[in-house]
Amino acid sequence: MVKVNEDYLKLRGSYLFSTVGKKEREFLAAHPDRRVIKLSIGDVTQPLVPAIIEAMHKAVGEMADEKTFRGYAPDLGYEFLRNAVMENDYKARGCEIAADEIFISDGAKSDSGNIQEIFSKDCKVAVCDPVYPVYVDTNIMAGRTGVFDETTETWSNVIYMPCIAENNFAPMIPKETPDLIYLCFPNNPTGSTITKAQLQEWVDYANKVGAVIIYDAAYEAYISEEDVPHSIYECEGARTCAIELHSFSKNAGFTGVRLGYTVIPKDIKCGGVMLHSLWARRHGTKYNGAPYIIQRAGEAVYSLEGQAQLKKQVAYYMENAAYILNGLKDAGYSVSGGVNAPYIWLRTPNDMTSWQFFDYLLENANVVGTPGSGFGPSGEHYFRLTAFGNHENTLEAIRRIKEL
Ligand code: PLP
């Protein structure tokens, strides 16, 4: 008889945002008269900017003509987009990345979940705690589990690196040596960042112990401070130990359009094998390329008009972030984030658990946020609010929270 993949049974109940959405729907069903404001899932609300819409229209037109119609895209991505990424995200920042080290995909969620496939099942994985849940869950699905600890509800092959107020929400090098290290800065959910000097320490450490860093730069566009790196390749030696993930979701509003990319320098080798070749093989076998129309939309992100329009869009969300941050501070909350990231991380009042505060806020302010404990054990007693709402809803949500 067919058997299921038992590693899937080792996952926690359901994906965090499914639980949040379910609770919200139940609340609305019980209270249809209430206007609930969602500051929970990190989904954007502002429309695609004109430069992107124009590029998409043009590409749709090309698809209507036999002479310019395109079928399957190259599975590693069209050259026009890989070149635009290379020029703007790397060369312009003094980072040495070639266009053929960039793999275009349908977003950073799939890449961050799939990248573990090219590593051995025996690898030990280190993650920031709290962090985007996909890294841990996909490694559990792949069987990187070990022994389960009932008290902390964690697996021994996953090393949690607490990012707490005492260390400014930045991870410390763990006692146990990991093989894979997931870093995400600006961080989801804490909104914290690390300096270039701090990131350099991670690169030096990875090179020393032979680990690979998977660096998720999904929120790079929100960096406002000088000393915060936009790419891990700003650090010396990163070409031999770091893979970088990017998304077009947060900088350009592509959450529904879907586009991202992963960089694997040809210099990273594990036991003499180039990771670049393995990922190219995996991509070529399991993926048939991001759609032409969407890749043209991605190219428009780097046009002069696109860049100017997107700068305004990022500023729009960051105005929300400042409003939430200051509003919560005024209301007496202990808060961080919101300066280099669209997330505000707050300590729950009166030592409430994250889920107790979720219920309290939903019930009394009709505002939905995300419980910090869903992002890892160190997220307990914390709560995340996003700045991706529109101004009107954000202002109203903060007014309600302040009134509590
Ligand atoms: N990486 C991080 C850290 C995220 O927070 C998210 C989405 O919230 C993603 C990746 C997913 O990005 P994409 O929409 O490109 O799949």
Side-chain angles (χ1 to χ4, degrees):
M1 199 175 81
V2 67
K3 287 184 184 164
V4 298
N5 177 348
E6 293 202 354
D7 291 322
Y8 274 60
L9 307 179
K10 296 174 184 166
L11 292 167
R12 272 178 309 170
S14 57
Y15 186 58
L16 172 63
F17 292 103
S18 314
T19 314
V20 168
K22 185 167 169 263
K23 281 198 164 236
E24 184 197 327
R25 285 191 299 279
E26 284 167 1
F27 180 83
L28 272 174
H31 308 90
D33 53 317
R34 309 266 186 101
R35 189 168 88 78
V36 169
I37 299 179
K38 263 211 266 202
L39 298 184
S40 47
I41 187 165
D43 196 0
V44 294
T45 52
Q46 297 307 295
L48 297 173
V49 298
I52 292 170
I53 293 292
E54 253 170 58
M56 288 172 90
H57 279 158
K58 186 163 172 258
V60 169
E62 289 177 58
M63 295 300 256
D65 183 337
E66 193 179 343
K67 289 195 265 333
T68 47
F69 168 80
R70 318 273 178 133
Y72 287 126
D75 37 52
L76 306 187
Y78 282 104
E79 256 178 44
F80 62 77
L81 181 55
R82 296 163 107 194
N83 283 332
V85 169
M86 182 270 290
E87 290 287 344
N88 292 278
D89 289 348
Y90 294 106
K91 201 168 166 196
R93 292 187 176 131
C95 302
E96 201 193 316
I97 292 295
D100 67 356
E101 292 174 319
I102 296 161
F103 298 78
I104 306 297
S105 73
D106 64 350
K109 186 174 193 176
S110 20
D111 283 355
S112 64
N114 291 330
I115 194 73
Q116 47 75 30
E117 271 187 38
I118 60 171
F119 297 97
S120 150
K121 202 174 157 177
D122 302 331
C123 286
K124 288 221 167 196
V125 176
V127 291
C128 295
D129 168 26
V131 85
Y132 185 49
V134 171
Y135 315 146
V136 172
D137 284 0
T138 52
N139 275 288
I140 303 283
M141 285 168 165
R144 289 186 196 90
T145 48
V147 181
F148 189 65
D149 181 330
E150 298 282 348
T151 350
T152 56
E153 297 189 1
T154 56
W155 292 94
S156 61
N157 284 351
V158 180
I159 303 164
Y160 285 83
M161 305 184 288
C163 299
I164 47 181
E166 289 71 26
N167 56 22
N168 235 345
F169 302 103
M172 318 262 276
I173 300 219
K175 287 197 193 86
E176 196 180 352
T177 309
D179 303 296
L180 280 178
I181 304 167
Y182 287 80
L183 296 179
C184 170
F185 292 107
N187 183 267
N188 174 12
T190 65
S192 66
T193 48
I194 55 174
T195 62
K196 189 169 162 187
Q198 285 174 302
L199 186 56
Q200 183 67 58
E201 283 176 27
W202 280 99
V203 169
D204 293 344
Y205 171 74
N207 276 323
K208 191 174 102 196
V209 301
V212 168
I213 298 176
I214 296 166
Y215 193 74
D216 189 339
Y219 297 95
E220 167 275 311
Y222 291 84
I223 294 172
S224 66
E225 291 180 323
E226 270 298 303
D227 198 23
V228 179
H230 287 253
S231 161
I232 195 165
Y233 303 113
E234 290 176 36
C235 296
E236 232 168 271
R239 279 191 57 86
T240 51
C241 68
I243 291 175
E244 187 162 277
L245 312 175
H246 273 257
S247 166
F248 286 78
S249 287
K250 318 292 167 149
N251 64 331
F254 278 32
T255 53
V257 175
R258 310 303 309 143
L259 193 67
Y261 68 85
T262 287
V263 177
I264 309 193
K266 291 185 180 165
D267 299 355
I268 317 183
K269 296 201 176 91
C270 292
V273 179
M274 245 170 50
L275 292 185
H276 182 280
S277 314
L278 290 194
W279 189 244
R281 184 72 170 86
R282 191 255 169 220
H283 223 54
T285 305
K286 293 196 176 183
Y287 188 62
N288 248 344
Y292 174 70
I293 298 162
I294 307 305
Q295 294 199 47
R296 281 292 183 200
E299 184 188 29
V301 166
Y302 298 102
S303 68
L304 284 180
E305 309 81 65
Q307 283 184 344
Q309 291 161 4
L310 289 170
K311 211 169 152 193
K312 282 196 196 146
Q313 195 167 77
V314 166
Y316 175 94
Y317 291 129
M318 288 312 276
E319 260 179 56
N320 286 347
Y323 193 83
I324 301 173
L325 190 69
N326 296 326
L328 292 178
K329 269 189 199 157
D330 290 348
Y333 285 89
S334 168
V335 265
S336 56
V339 175
N340 294 298
Y343 293 126
I344 288 82
W345 190 236
L346 61 115
R347 174 91 199 173
T348 59
N350 306 324
D351 226 25
M352 278 188 224
T353 66
S354 301
W355 279 109
Q356 280 169 343
F357 187 67
F358 174 93
D359 291 332
Y360 169 78
L361 210 60
L362 181 56
E363 189 68 47
N364 298 290
N366 304 152
V367 171
V368 190
T370 312
S373 55
F375 296 96
S378 299
E380 183 55 288
H381 299 295
Y382 281 90
F383 202 72
R384 190 194 80 175
L385 292 176
T386 98
F388 283 126
N390 64 30
H391 278 335
E392 189 203 353
N393 281 347
T394 306
L395 263 57
E396 173 60 13
I398 297 306
R399 188 193 64 73
R400 292 185 197 171
I401 295 175
K402 277 179 152 179
E403 262 183 15
L404 286 177

